[in-house]
Amino acid sequence: MRFRLRHQSQDLELAPGELIVGRSASCKLSLDDPLVSRRHAVFLVTSDGVSIDDLASRNGVLVNGERITGPTALAVGDRVLIGGQELILRATGDGLGHETVSTEMLATIETEPSTESMAPAARVEPAGSETDTSTYRRGDAFEMLAGVGEKALAMGRVEEAERLIGTVLADVLEASRKGRNPASAVVDVAARFSARLAAATGKGAWVDYVVDLYQSEGRPCSGAVVEELYTAMRRVNAIDLARFRTYLASLRDRSSSFGPAEKFLLQRLEGLERLAALR
């Protein structure tokens, strides 16, 4: 039996041998997704079937919702989650109507994102090339990543949510500090999710993250983030109040150039500071 992997609207025919999957352009299948490690996983295709193994990735590999801990045999229909990307093992000949690409052609074919998914596109590029995927400029992609974490939070898997997206949040802050200008939508989504983590975990460090991010951006928190912070502030033990006050002082210094909406947000943040001081 021959096999293929379905990713979004495209099927990838699997030739015997190894198929390395990761974010690096040197991988046979490269996925444009910050939750994917540079070399994330390997599919092994033999005459007996297909198996997958995690290559010590940051976020692991899930098969049918369960994280694998070693080489794992796959059956037709199994769903593999690598980062935020789902790959489904199919047998050649089933599910007609999808474009099929052979693994021998992967060096020259780019897969396109499905209109049914907000996930970043898988891309396949010539070996040795390096590209800036500009993930942090794409609000739609980051919304999807936050959605993965939201699902984990909704299921009560707080530690998993922190693990899944914590590193990405750190990367957004680093990008802002280094002047790489993350899209405003990405900043706001990152801050909103961090505030929700603060409420779920009781850790003030997640509120501090929001303060650091908007301090770096040089603007008030968005209205939605302020509302999340009010919820979080009632649940966290403590925040770095000095850091928060430094942020407020920097906003007050620029307040003469603020419009009515930004001035209102500043007032809301000042109320939040008073609430934090009472804790």
Side-chain angles (χ1 to χ4, degrees):
M1 181 183 294
R2 299 193 66 180
F3 300 93
R4 52 197 173 87
L5 286 176
R6 179 170 300 171
H7 177 264
Q8 298 180 10
S9 62
Q10 196 165 62
D11 287 347
L12 308 176
E13 186 176 319
L14 296 177
E18 291 187 345
L19 175 68
I20 305 293
V21 181
R23 199 176 71 252
S24 172
S26 64
C27 294
K28 196 72 170 180
L29 175 59
S30 180
L31 298 173
D32 181 1
D33 182 336
L35 287 180
V36 175
S37 297
R38 293 184 63 79
R39 285 172 56 86
H40 197 113
V42 57
F43 287 91
L44 178 62
V45 184
T46 69
S47 58
D48 296 326
V50 180
S51 63
I52 187 171
D53 197 8
D54 184 6
L55 296 177
S57 67
R58 188 171 58 199
N59 293 316
V61 176
L62 278 67
V63 174
N64 299 325
E66 298 293 330
R67 184 165 182 162
I68 66 173
T69 57
T72 301
L74 299 175
V76 172
D78 280 351
R79 295 175 179 272
V80 178
L81 188 66
I82 296 177
Q85 308 294 311
E86 184 178 72
L87 303 167
I88 305 173
L89 184 66
R90 298 293 188 188
T92 298
D94 71 348
L96 298 178
H98 289 73
E99 179 185 1
T100 300
V101 179
S102 69
T103 52
E104 290 78 5
M105 297 171 63
L106 288 179
T108 58
I109 298 294
E110 286 191 0
T111 59
E112 297 294 334
S114 167
T115 57
E116 299 176 355
S117 173
M118 293 177 65
R123 77 184 187 287
V124 185
E125 300 172 1
S129 69
E130 292 288 341
T131 59
D132 176 8
T133 60
S134 301
T135 300
Y136 304 119
R137 295 178 180 273
R138 295 169 51 185
D140 58 342
F142 197 81
E143 285 277 5
M144 184 280 299
L145 299 176
V148 174
E150 290 283 5
K151 289 180 180 178
L153 280 180
M155 298 173 68
R157 299 176 179 174
V158 178
E159 292 184 0
E160 181 178 344
E162 285 188 288
R163 177 183 58 77
L164 282 171
I165 203 167
T167 302
V168 183
L169 294 178
D171 289 346
V172 174
L173 178 57
E174 182 183 10
S176 177
R177 285 173 168 169
K178 292 185 176 180
R180 297 206 296 267
N181 301 320
S184 294
V186 169
V187 170
D188 292 340
V189 170
R192 191 169 71 243
F193 188 78
S194 183
R196 290 179 181 174
L197 279 175
T201 63
K203 296 178 182 178
W206 287 117
V207 175
D208 297 339
Y209 170 91
V210 176
V211 173
D212 285 347
L213 183 57
Y214 282 106
Q215 173 82 330
S216 178
E217 290 291 296
R219 63 182 175 95
C221 305
S222 72
V225 171
V226 171
E227 293 303 320
E228 294 285 354
L229 287 175
Y230 267 91
T231 298
M233 198 66 73
R234 295 178 174 88
R235 300 177 182 177
V236 300
N237 293 325
I239 67 168
D240 187 335
L241 196 54
R243 182 182 316 200
F244 193 34
R245 286 170 173 165
T246 298
Y247 169 54
L248 286 178
S250 69
L251 292 179
R252 292 189 188 106
D253 288 343
R254 293 192 293 273
S255 62
S256 60
S257 64
F258 287 174
E262 289 175 310
K263 288 180 178 178
F264 175 73
L265 289 173
L266 176 55
Q267 292 174 357
R268 293 281 285 155
L269 288 168
E270 289 173 333
L272 193 63
E273 183 268 335
R274 291 190 292 271
L275 178 62
L278 295 174
R279 299 193 63 77

